[in-house]
Amino acid sequence: MAQVQCAGASDISFLDNARYERLLQDTGAGAVIDEPRSADRAPANTALLATPTASEAWAKVVRL
């Protein structure tokens, strides 16, 4: 787990605020939890886990 701007290929991160969407295009994260509207902004090497409730999904990941 890491912040989207610091994440590497073995990290998962999330975005839940539209102000930070610009960070998605440059992330090195292996996966990012975000809203479906961002699907076309994720880098090719980043899996976008699209959900309408990113913060809820992130909470579930953290518990795991």
Side-chain angles (χ1 to χ4, degrees):
M1 291 184 256
Q3 294 177 343
V4 72
Q5 67 271 30
C6 301
S10 62
D11 292 315
I12 185 168
S13 190
F14 85 107
L15 289 169
D16 69 343
N17 190 318
R19 284 189 300 188
Y20 302 109
E21 287 296 321
R22 60 182 167 71
L23 299 174
L24 180 59
Q25 65 191 12
D26 295 324
T27 190
V32 175
I33 299 169
D34 199 358
E35 295 184 4
R37 71 175 187 281
S38 301
D40 61 340
R41 294 187 196 127
N45 59 340
T46 299
L48 184 76
L49 307 173
T51 177
T53 55
S55 58
E56 282 184 34
W58 180 250
K60 290 177 182 178
V61 168
V62 170
R63 283 189 295 233
L64 294 173

